[in-house]
Amino acid sequence: MQRLSDRNKREVEKLSKIYFEKTIELMGQSKYYKHTPFLAVEYSPQSTEYLKIINNMIKRNNGGILIIDYAYTDKKMKNTLQAVSKHKYCDVLKGFGNSDITYNLSFSLLNRIVKELSSLTSMNTTQGEFLTKLGILERAEILSKKMLFSEKADIYFRIKRLIDKNQMGELFKVMLITTNKNKFKLGF
């Protein structure tokens, strides 16, 4: 990943407050921010700088970026900080050093930042809907025609995990950021 120069780091720090306030405004949370000292805003000014660089690359190449991640699409900001160890949630502080600490992306915030930064278009869907529209079930049917029942069951068990709304299907979200000229919409 590209590292920011010292000059860019200072600029990011300088703009952090502006971006934070703009984020609050964009998310329609300013009324909460003024009156609630504990508003949850998971925000990274450096990621906004990377998004600017990525946006410029997309425009130059008439391309796009596909993002698949733990995310939420609600407009209201949430506290999603979490720790995972051995495929199970654990206390963020108690699992320190022995767990992965992460948070869910706000796709609503990313959509608004993209709109503010450029003339690019962004689309969202769930992982389950995305994979289903891409034809994951039809592909599995083709692949499994000559398989033993146990092998077929294994494939469909794995697909169910990926697309089921109670498993990864709605937990993961998919976002495509592209130019208006780029008509790729498969899966959305």
Side-chain angles (χ1 to χ4, degrees), residues 40-73:
V41 177
E42 294 165 340
Y43 168 74
S44 165
Q46 189 172 11
S47 64
T48 302
E49 290 303 309
Y50 285 130
L51 196 51
K52 282 183 182 180
I53 294 166
I54 292 167
N55 280 347
N56 289 333
M57 292 170 72
I58 291 170
K59 283 192 253 183
R60 259 195 324 271
N61 297 295
N62 190 31
I65 183 171
L66 186 69
I67 302 169
I68 303 174
D69 207 341
Y70 292 102
Y72 64 96
T73 56

PDB file of all heavy atoms in Angstrom, residues 40-73:
ATOM      1  N   ALA A  40     -20.834   7.736  18.431  1.00  0.00           N
ATOM      2  CA  ALA A  40     -19.893   6.790  17.831  1.00  0.00           C
ATOM      3  C   ALA A  40     -19.646   7.180  16.384  1.00  0.00           C
ATOM      4  O   ALA A  40     -20.557   7.160  15.572  1.00  0.00           O
ATOM      5  CB  ALA A  40     -20.459   5.379  17.889  1.00  0.00           C
ATOM      6  N   VAL A  41     -18.432   7.559  16.086  1.00  0.00           N
ATOM      7  CA  VAL A  41     -18.043   7.854  14.713  1.00  0.00           C
ATOM      8  C   VAL A  41     -16.732   7.126  14.455  1.00  0.00           C
ATOM      9  O   VAL A  41     -15.704   7.466  15.029  1.00  0.00           O
ATOM     10  CB  VAL A  41     -17.860   9.368  14.467  1.00  0.00           C
ATOM     11  CG1 VAL A  41     -17.386   9.609  13.046  1.00  0.00           C
ATOM     12  CG2 VAL A  41     -19.150  10.115  14.730  1.00  0.00           C
ATOM     13  N   GLU A  42     -16.801   6.096  13.628  1.00  0.00           N
ATOM     14  CA  GLU A  42     -15.604   5.349  13.269  1.00  0.00           C
ATOM     15  C   GLU A  42     -15.125   5.931  11.947  1.00  0.00           C
ATOM     16  O   GLU A  42     -15.734   5.712  10.906  1.00  0.00           O
ATOM     17  CB  GLU A  42     -15.930   3.862  13.174  1.00  0.00           C
ATOM     18  CG  GLU A  42     -16.312   3.325  14.521  1.00  0.00           C
ATOM     19  CD  GLU A  42     -16.986   1.981  14.487  1.00  0.00           C
ATOM     20  OE1 GLU A  42     -17.516   1.577  13.447  1.00  0.00           O
ATOM     21  OE2 GLU A  42     -17.014   1.330  15.531  1.00  0.00           O
ATOM     22  N   TYR A  43     -14.074   6.691  12.019  1.00  0.00           N
ATOM     23  CA  TYR A  43     -13.667   7.507  10.894  1.00  0.00           C
ATOM     24  C   TYR A  43     -12.154   7.547  10.790  1.00  0.00           C
ATOM     25  O   TYR A  43     -11.467   7.688  11.793  1.00  0.00           O
ATOM     26  CB  TYR A  43     -14.236   8.912  11.098  1.00  0.00           C
ATOM     27  CG  TYR A  43     -13.659   9.931  10.165  1.00  0.00           C
ATOM     28  CD1 TYR A  43     -14.030   9.949   8.835  1.00  0.00           C
ATOM     29  CD2 TYR A  43     -12.713  10.834  10.603  1.00  0.00           C
ATOM     30  CE1 TYR A  43     -13.489  10.862   7.963  1.00  0.00           C
ATOM     31  CE2 TYR A  43     -12.161  11.757   9.744  1.00  0.00           C
ATOM     32  CZ  TYR A  43     -12.555  11.766   8.426  1.00  0.00           C
ATOM     33  OH  TYR A  43     -12.005  12.655   7.564  1.00  0.00           O
ATOM     34  N   SER A  44     -11.637   7.447   9.585  1.00  0.00           N
ATOM     35  CA  SER A  44     -10.194   7.491   9.357  1.00  0.00           C
ATOM     36  C   SER A  44      -9.895   8.526   8.280  1.00  0.00           C
ATOM     37  O   SER A  44     -10.192   8.305   7.107  1.00  0.00           O
ATOM     38  CB  SER A  44      -9.708   6.119   8.891  1.00  0.00           C
ATOM     39  OG  SER A  44      -8.423   6.221   8.357  1.00  0.00           O
ATOM     40  N   PRO A  45      -9.303   9.660   8.663  1.00  0.00           N
ATOM     41  CA  PRO A  45      -8.949  10.670   7.660  1.00  0.00           C
ATOM     42  C   PRO A  45      -7.983  10.114   6.611  1.00  0.00           C
ATOM     43  O   PRO A  45      -8.068  10.462   5.442  1.00  0.00           O
ATOM     44  CB  PRO A  45      -8.268  11.767   8.474  1.00  0.00           C
ATOM     45  CG  PRO A  45      -8.700  11.558   9.864  1.00  0.00           C
ATOM     46  CD  PRO A  45      -8.985  10.092  10.015  1.00  0.00           C
ATOM     47  N   GLN A  46      -7.082   9.224   7.010  1.00  0.00           N
ATOM     48  CA  GLN A  46      -6.131   8.654   6.064  1.00  0.00           C
ATOM     49  C   GLN A  46      -6.854   7.828   5.001  1.00  0.00           C
ATOM     50  O   GLN A  46      -6.482   7.855   3.830  1.00  0.00           O
ATOM     51  CB  GLN A  46      -5.096   7.807   6.787  1.00  0.00           C
ATOM     52  CG  GLN A  46      -3.963   7.377   5.887  1.00  0.00           C
ATOM     53  CD  GLN A  46      -2.841   6.700   6.649  1.00  0.00           C
ATOM     54  OE1 GLN A  46      -2.991   6.373   7.818  1.00  0.00           O
ATOM     55  NE2 GLN A  46      -1.724   6.486   5.992  1.00  0.00           N
ATOM     56  N   SER A  47      -7.913   7.122   5.381  1.00  0.00           N
ATOM     57  CA  SER A  47      -8.646   6.332   4.380  1.00  0.00           C
ATOM     58  C   SER A  47      -9.327   7.249   3.369  1.00  0.00           C
ATOM     59  O   SER A  47      -9.458   6.894   2.203  1.00  0.00           O
ATOM     60  CB  SER A  47      -9.650   5.398   5.042  1.00  0.00           C
ATOM     61  OG  SER A  47     -10.646   6.128   5.711  1.00  0.00           O
ATOM     62  N   THR A  48      -9.738   8.437   3.804  1.00  0.00           N
ATOM     63  CA  THR A  48     -10.326   9.400   2.871  1.00  0.00           C
ATOM     64  C   THR A  48      -9.265   9.855   1.872  1.00  0.00           C
ATOM     65  O   THR A  48      -9.554  10.013   0.681  1.00  0.00           O
ATOM     66  CB  THR A  48     -10.912  10.612   3.625  1.00  0.00           C
ATOM     67  OG1 THR A  48     -11.886  10.139   4.549  1.00  0.00           O
ATOM     68  CG2 THR A  48     -11.567  11.589   2.674  1.00  0.00           C
ATOM     69  N   GLU A  49      -8.040  10.046   2.338  1.00  0.00           N
ATOM     70  CA  GLU A  49      -6.955  10.419   1.431  1.00  0.00           C
ATOM     71  C   GLU A  49      -6.686   9.300   0.422  1.00  0.00           C
ATOM     72  O   GLU A  49      -6.488   9.561  -0.755  1.00  0.00           O
ATOM     73  CB  GLU A  49      -5.683  10.758   2.217  1.00  0.00           C
ATOM     74  CG  GLU A  49      -5.791  12.047   2.994  1.00  0.00           C
ATOM     75  CD  GLU A  49      -6.142  13.250   2.131  1.00  0.00           C
ATOM     76  OE1 GLU A  49      -5.470  13.478   1.092  1.00  0.00           O
ATOM     77  OE2 GLU A  49      -7.092  13.963   2.488  1.00  0.00           O
ATOM     78  N   TYR A  50      -6.681   8.060   0.881  1.00  0.00           N
ATOM     79  CA  TYR A  50      -6.511   6.933  -0.037  1.00  0.00           C
ATOM     80  C   TYR A  50      -7.676   6.879  -1.032  1.00  0.00           C
ATOM     81  O   TYR A  50      -7.470   6.594  -2.209  1.00  0.00           O
ATOM     82  CB  TYR A  50      -6.404   5.607   0.713  1.00  0.00           C
ATOM     83  CG  TYR A  50      -5.087   5.386   1.399  1.00  0.00           C
ATOM     84  CD1 TYR A  50      -5.029   5.001   2.730  1.00  0.00           C
ATOM     85  CD2 TYR A  50      -3.889   5.550   0.717  1.00  0.00           C
ATOM     86  CE1 TYR A  50      -3.816   4.798   3.369  1.00  0.00           C
ATOM     87  CE2 TYR A  50      -2.665   5.344   1.339  1.00  0.00           C
ATOM     88  CZ  TYR A  50      -2.637   4.972   2.664  1.00  0.00           C
ATOM     89  OH  TYR A  50      -1.440   4.765   3.282  1.00  0.00           O
ATOM     90  N   LEU A  51      -8.867   7.149  -0.557  1.00  0.00           N
ATOM     91  CA  LEU A  51     -10.038   7.140  -1.434  1.00  0.00           C
ATOM     92  C   LEU A  51      -9.909   8.202  -2.523  1.00  0.00           C
ATOM     93  O   LEU A  51     -10.302   7.973  -3.670  1.00  0.00           O
ATOM     94  CB  LEU A  51     -11.317   7.340  -0.614  1.00  0.00           C
ATOM     95  CG  LEU A  51     -12.637   6.999  -1.270  1.00  0.00           C
ATOM     96  CD1 LEU A  51     -12.640   5.614  -1.887  1.00  0.00           C
ATOM     97  CD2 LEU A  51     -13.769   7.120  -0.273  1.00  0.00           C
ATOM     98  N   LYS A  52      -9.333   9.352  -2.204  1.00  0.00           N
ATOM     99  CA  LYS A  52      -9.085  10.382  -3.216  1.00  0.00           C
ATOM    100  C   LYS A  52      -8.152   9.847  -4.300  1.00  0.00           C
ATOM    101  O   LYS A  52      -8.396  10.030  -5.496  1.00  0.00           O
ATOM    102  CB  LYS A  52      -8.438  11.621  -2.585  1.00  0.00           C
ATOM    103  CG  LYS A  52      -9.364  12.525  -1.858  1.00  0.00           C
ATOM    104  CD  LYS A  52      -8.571  13.733  -1.356  1.00  0.00           C
ATOM    105  CE  LYS A  52      -9.410  14.678  -0.560  1.00  0.00           C
ATOM    106  NZ  LYS A  52      -8.624  15.832  -0.080  1.00  0.00           N
ATOM    107  N   ILE A  53      -7.069   9.196  -3.879  1.00  0.00           N
ATOM    108  CA  ILE A  53      -6.105   8.636  -4.829  1.00  0.00           C
ATOM    109  C   ILE A  53      -6.775   7.577  -5.701  1.00  0.00           C
ATOM    110  O   ILE A  53      -6.617   7.564  -6.926  1.00  0.00           O
ATOM    111  CB  ILE A  53      -4.884   8.048  -4.079  1.00  0.00           C
ATOM    112  CG1 ILE A  53      -4.100   9.164  -3.376  1.00  0.00           C
ATOM    113  CG2 ILE A  53      -3.981   7.252  -5.024  1.00  0.00           C
ATOM    114  CD1 ILE A  53      -3.092   8.669  -2.340  1.00  0.00           C
ATOM    115  N   ILE A  54      -7.546   6.704  -5.076  1.00  0.00           N
ATOM    116  CA  ILE A  54      -8.251   5.643  -5.809  1.00  0.00           C
ATOM    117  C   ILE A  54      -9.251   6.254  -6.783  1.00  0.00           C
ATOM    118  O   ILE A  54      -9.354   5.821  -7.939  1.00  0.00           O
ATOM    119  CB  ILE A  54      -8.937   4.668  -4.827  1.00  0.00           C
ATOM    120  CG1 ILE A  54      -7.877   3.876  -4.060  1.00  0.00           C
ATOM    121  CG2 ILE A  54      -9.897   3.735  -5.561  1.00  0.00           C
ATOM    122  CD1 ILE A  54      -8.410   3.125  -2.848  1.00  0.00           C
ATOM    123  N   ASN A  55     -10.001   7.266  -6.349  1.00  0.00           N
ATOM    124  CA  ASN A  55     -10.971   7.931  -7.234  1.00  0.00           C
ATOM    125  C   ASN A  55     -10.289   8.479  -8.481  1.00  0.00           C
ATOM    126  O   ASN A  55     -10.800   8.332  -9.598  1.00  0.00           O
ATOM    127  CB  ASN A  55     -11.684   9.070  -6.500  1.00  0.00           C
ATOM    128  CG  ASN A  55     -12.793   8.587  -5.608  1.00  0.00           C
ATOM    129  OD1 ASN A  55     -13.217   7.437  -5.687  1.00  0.00           O
ATOM    130  ND2 ASN A  55     -13.265   9.456  -4.740  1.00  0.00           N
ATOM    131  N   ASN A  56      -9.142   9.109  -8.305  1.00  0.00           N
ATOM    132  CA  ASN A  56      -8.409   9.652  -9.456  1.00  0.00           C
ATOM    133  C   ASN A  56      -7.955   8.547 -10.398  1.00  0.00           C
ATOM    134  O   ASN A  56      -8.010   8.709 -11.623  1.00  0.00           O
ATOM    135  CB  ASN A  56      -7.216  10.489  -8.981  1.00  0.00           C
ATOM    136  CG  ASN A  56      -7.665  11.789  -8.339  1.00  0.00           C
ATOM    137  OD1 ASN A  56      -8.730  12.320  -8.655  1.00  0.00           O
ATOM    138  ND2 ASN A  56      -6.872  12.297  -7.416  1.00  0.00           N
ATOM    139  N   MET A  57      -7.514   7.420  -9.851  1.00  0.00           N
ATOM    140  CA  MET A  57      -7.096   6.290 -10.681  1.00  0.00           C
ATOM    141  C   MET A  57      -8.286   5.726 -11.463  1.00  0.00           C
ATOM    142  O   MET A  57      -8.155   5.379 -12.633  1.00  0.00           O
ATOM    143  CB  MET A  57      -6.458   5.204  -9.818  1.00  0.00           C
ATOM    144  CG  MET A  57      -5.126   5.624  -9.221  1.00  0.00           C
ATOM    145  SD  MET A  57      -4.504   4.454  -7.986  1.00  0.00           S
ATOM    146  CE  MET A  57      -4.037   3.081  -9.025  1.00  0.00           C
ATOM    147  N   ILE A  58      -9.433   5.639 -10.808  1.00  0.00           N
ATOM    148  CA  ILE A  58     -10.641   5.136 -11.471  1.00  0.00           C
ATOM    149  C   ILE A  58     -11.009   6.042 -12.644  1.00  0.00           C
ATOM    150  O   ILE A  58     -11.295   5.567 -13.741  1.00  0.00           O
ATOM    151  CB  ILE A  58     -11.813   5.032 -10.467  1.00  0.00           C
ATOM    152  CG1 ILE A  58     -11.550   3.911  -9.460  1.00  0.00           C
ATOM    153  CG2 ILE A  58     -13.136   4.797 -11.202  1.00  0.00           C
ATOM    154  CD1 ILE A  58     -12.525   3.888  -8.287  1.00  0.00           C
ATOM    155  N   LYS A  59     -10.993   7.350 -12.408  1.00  0.00           N
ATOM    156  CA  LYS A  59     -11.338   8.303 -13.476  1.00  0.00           C
ATOM    157  C   LYS A  59     -10.361   8.210 -14.639  1.00  0.00           C
ATOM    158  O   LYS A  59     -10.784   8.184 -15.800  1.00  0.00           O
ATOM    159  CB  LYS A  59     -11.358   9.730 -12.928  1.00  0.00           C
ATOM    160  CG  LYS A  59     -12.609  10.037 -12.132  1.00  0.00           C
ATOM    161  CD  LYS A  59     -12.707  11.521 -11.872  1.00  0.00           C
ATOM    162  CE  LYS A  59     -12.409  11.792 -10.429  1.00  0.00           C
ATOM    163  NZ  LYS A  59     -12.551  13.187 -10.041  1.00  0.00           N
ATOM    164  N   ARG A  60      -9.063   8.162 -14.337  1.00  0.00           N
ATOM    165  CA  ARG A  60      -8.033   8.103 -15.382  1.00  0.00           C
ATOM    166  C   ARG A  60      -8.174   6.863 -16.257  1.00  0.00           C
ATOM    167  O   ARG A  60      -7.927   6.900 -17.457  1.00  0.00           O
ATOM    168  CB  ARG A  60      -6.641   8.095 -14.753  1.00  0.00           C
ATOM    169  CG  ARG A  60      -5.924   9.395 -14.765  1.00  0.00           C
ATOM    170  CD  ARG A  60      -4.445   9.277 -14.461  1.00  0.00           C
ATOM    171  NE  ARG A  60      -4.045   8.280 -13.490  1.00  0.00           N
ATOM    172  CZ  ARG A  60      -3.955   8.478 -12.173  1.00  0.00           C
ATOM    173  NH1 ARG A  60      -4.250   9.637 -11.655  1.00  0.00           N
ATOM    174  NH2 ARG A  60      -3.562   7.506 -11.374  1.00  0.00           N
ATOM    175  N   ASN A  61      -8.554   5.754 -15.658  1.00  0.00           N
ATOM    176  CA  ASN A  61      -8.590   4.473 -16.370  1.00  0.00           C
ATOM    177  C   ASN A  61      -9.992   4.011 -16.744  1.00  0.00           C
ATOM    178  O   ASN A  61     -10.153   2.901 -17.240  1.00  0.00           O
ATOM    179  CB  ASN A  61      -7.904   3.403 -15.509  1.00  0.00           C
ATOM    180  CG  ASN A  61      -6.448   3.717 -15.284  1.00  0.00           C
ATOM    181  OD1 ASN A  61      -5.670   3.735 -16.228  1.00  0.00           O
ATOM    182  ND2 ASN A  61      -6.068   4.009 -14.050  1.00  0.00           N
ATOM    183  N   ASN A  62     -11.000   4.855 -16.479  1.00  0.00           N
ATOM    184  CA  ASN A  62     -12.391   4.472 -16.737  1.00  0.00           C
ATOM    185  C   ASN A  62     -12.677   3.103 -16.125  1.00  0.00           C
ATOM    186  O   ASN A  62     -13.290   2.244 -16.734  1.00  0.00           O
ATOM    187  CB  ASN A  62     -12.710   4.474 -18.233  1.00  0.00           C
ATOM    188  CG  ASN A  62     -14.205   4.327 -18.477  1.00  0.00           C
ATOM    189  OD1 ASN A  62     -15.020   4.771 -17.676  1.00  0.00           O
ATOM    190  ND2 ASN A  62     -14.567   3.693 -19.574  1.00  0.00           N
ATOM    191  N   GLY A  63     -12.203   2.918 -14.896  1.00  0.00           N
ATOM    192  CA  GLY A  63     -12.336   1.626 -14.239  1.00  0.00           C
ATOM    193  C   GLY A  63     -13.286   1.669 -13.069  1.00  0.00           C
ATOM    194  O   GLY A  63     -14.278   2.386 -13.082  1.00  0.00           O
ATOM    195  N   GLY A  64     -12.952   0.898 -12.054  1.00  0.00           N
ATOM    196  CA  GLY A  64     -13.789   0.828 -10.872  1.00  0.00           C
ATOM    197  C   GLY A  64     -13.079   0.087  -9.762  1.00  0.00           C
ATOM    198  O   GLY A  64     -11.988  -0.448  -9.951  1.00  0.00           O
ATOM    199  N   ILE A  65     -13.696   0.073  -8.609  1.00  0.00           N
ATOM    200  CA  ILE A  65     -13.193  -0.691  -7.473  1.00  0.00           C
ATOM    201  C   ILE A  65     -14.373  -1.436  -6.855  1.00  0.00           C
ATOM    202  O   ILE A  65     -15.462  -0.873  -6.719  1.00  0.00           O
ATOM    203  CB  ILE A  65     -12.486   0.199  -6.431  1.00  0.00           C
ATOM    204  CG1 ILE A  65     -11.902  -0.650  -5.286  1.00  0.00           C
ATOM    205  CG2 ILE A  65     -13.400   1.282  -5.909  1.00  0.00           C
ATOM    206  CD1 ILE A  65     -10.999   0.128  -4.341  1.00  0.00           C
ATOM    207  N   LEU A  66     -14.150  -2.688  -6.544  1.00  0.00           N
ATOM    208  CA  LEU A  66     -15.160  -3.515  -5.906  1.00  0.00           C
ATOM    209  C   LEU A  66     -14.714  -3.753  -4.471  1.00  0.00           C
ATOM    210  O   LEU A  66     -13.611  -4.251  -4.235  1.00  0.00           O
ATOM    211  CB  LEU A  66     -15.298  -4.852  -6.652  1.00  0.00           C
ATOM    212  CG  LEU A  66     -16.415  -5.773  -6.186  1.00  0.00           C
ATOM    213  CD1 LEU A  66     -17.780  -5.181  -6.532  1.00  0.00           C
ATOM    214  CD2 LEU A  66     -16.265  -7.140  -6.838  1.00  0.00           C
ATOM    215  N   ILE A  67     -15.557  -3.384  -3.517  1.00  0.00           N
ATOM    216  CA  ILE A  67     -15.244  -3.530  -2.097  1.00  0.00           C
ATOM    217  C   ILE A  67     -16.215  -4.533  -1.496  1.00  0.00           C
ATOM    218  O   ILE A  67     -17.428  -4.366  -1.615  1.00  0.00           O
ATOM    219  CB  ILE A  67     -15.364  -2.178  -1.358  1.00  0.00           C
ATOM    220  CG1 ILE A  67     -14.434  -1.144  -1.986  1.00  0.00           C
ATOM    221  CG2 ILE A  67     -15.089  -2.356   0.129  1.00  0.00           C
ATOM    222  CD1 ILE A  67     -14.681   0.276  -1.493  1.00  0.00           C
ATOM    223  N   ILE A  68     -15.686  -5.573  -0.867  1.00  0.00           N
ATOM    224  CA  ILE A  68     -16.505  -6.560  -0.161  1.00  0.00           C
ATOM    225  C   ILE A  68     -15.979  -6.616   1.259  1.00  0.00           C
ATOM    226  O   ILE A  68     -14.807  -6.929   1.477  1.00  0.00           O
ATOM    227  CB  ILE A  68     -16.429  -7.949  -0.827  1.00  0.00           C
ATOM    228  CG1 ILE A  68     -16.847  -7.871  -2.301  1.00  0.00           C
ATOM    229  CG2 ILE A  68     -17.296  -8.954  -0.057  1.00  0.00           C
ATOM    230  CD1 ILE A  68     -16.664  -9.161  -3.069  1.00  0.00           C
ATOM    231  N   ASP A  69     -16.845  -6.297   2.220  1.00  0.00           N
ATOM    232  CA  ASP A  69     -16.371  -6.219   3.598  1.00  0.00           C
ATOM    233  C   ASP A  69     -17.556  -6.274   4.555  1.00  0.00           C
ATOM    234  O   ASP A  69     -18.698  -6.107   4.158  1.00  0.00           O
ATOM    235  CB  ASP A  69     -15.600  -4.914   3.806  1.00  0.00           C
ATOM    236  CG  ASP A  69     -14.550  -5.013   4.902  1.00  0.00           C
ATOM    237  OD1 ASP A  69     -14.628  -5.923   5.748  1.00  0.00           O
ATOM    238  OD2 ASP A  69     -13.642  -4.170   4.909  1.00  0.00           O
ATOM    239  N   TYR A  70     -17.227  -6.487   5.841  1.00  0.00           N
ATOM    240  CA  TYR A  70     -18.229  -6.303   6.878  1.00  0.00           C
ATOM    241  C   TYR A  70     -18.661  -4.843   6.776  1.00  0.00           C
ATOM    242  O   TYR A  70     -17.805  -3.958   6.775  1.00  0.00           O
ATOM    243  CB  TYR A  70     -17.633  -6.502   8.275  1.00  0.00           C
ATOM    244  CG  TYR A  70     -17.198  -7.890   8.624  1.00  0.00           C
ATOM    245  CD1 TYR A  70     -15.862  -8.237   8.594  1.00  0.00           C
ATOM    246  CD2 TYR A  70     -18.131  -8.840   9.026  1.00  0.00           C
ATOM    247  CE1 TYR A  70     -15.444  -9.507   8.948  1.00  0.00           C
ATOM    248  CE2 TYR A  70     -17.718 -10.114   9.385  1.00  0.00           C
ATOM    249  CZ  TYR A  70     -16.380 -10.442   9.339  1.00  0.00           C
ATOM    250  OH  TYR A  70     -15.984 -11.692   9.700  1.00  0.00           O
ATOM    251  N   ALA A  71     -19.948  -4.593   6.689  1.00  0.00           N
ATOM    252  CA  ALA A  71     -20.382  -3.205   6.532  1.00  0.00           C
ATOM    253  C   ALA A  71     -21.838  -3.071   6.941  1.00  0.00           C
ATOM    254  O   ALA A  71     -22.546  -4.059   7.130  1.00  0.00           O
ATOM    255  CB  ALA A  71     -20.204  -2.763   5.084  1.00  0.00           C
ATOM    256  N   TYR A  72     -22.251  -1.825   7.052  1.00  0.00           N
ATOM    257  CA  TYR A  72     -23.657  -1.528   7.268  1.00  0.00           C
ATOM    258  C   TYR A  72     -24.031  -0.349   6.380  1.00  0.00           C
ATOM    259  O   TYR A  72     -23.166   0.416   5.949  1.00  0.00           O
ATOM    260  CB  TYR A  72     -23.976  -1.263   8.740  1.00  0.00           C
ATOM    261  CG  TYR A  72     -23.312  -0.046   9.339  1.00  0.00           C
ATOM    262  CD1 TYR A  72     -23.996   1.170   9.411  1.00  0.00           C
ATOM    263  CD2 TYR A  72     -22.024  -0.101   9.847  1.00  0.00           C
ATOM    264  CE1 TYR A  72     -23.394   2.290   9.968  1.00  0.00           C
ATOM    265  CE2 TYR A  72     -21.427   1.002  10.415  1.00  0.00           C
ATOM    266  CZ  TYR A  72     -22.116   2.203  10.467  1.00  0.00           C
ATOM    267  OH  TYR A  72     -21.524   3.305  11.016  1.00  0.00           O
ATOM    268  N   THR A  73     -25.320  -0.243   6.068  1.00  0.00           N
ATOM    269  CA  THR A  73     -25.775   0.789   5.139  1.00  0.00           C
ATOM    270  C   THR A  73     -26.676   1.832   5.804  1.00  0.00           C
ATOM    271  O   THR A  73     -27.105   2.758   5.139  1.00  0.00           O
ATOM    272  CB  THR A  73     -26.525   0.159   3.944  1.00  0.00           C
ATOM    273  OG1 THR A  73     -27.595  -0.638   4.441  1.00  0.00           O
ATOM    274  CG2 THR A  73     -25.593  -0.694   3.101  1.00  0.00           C
TER     275      THR A  73
END
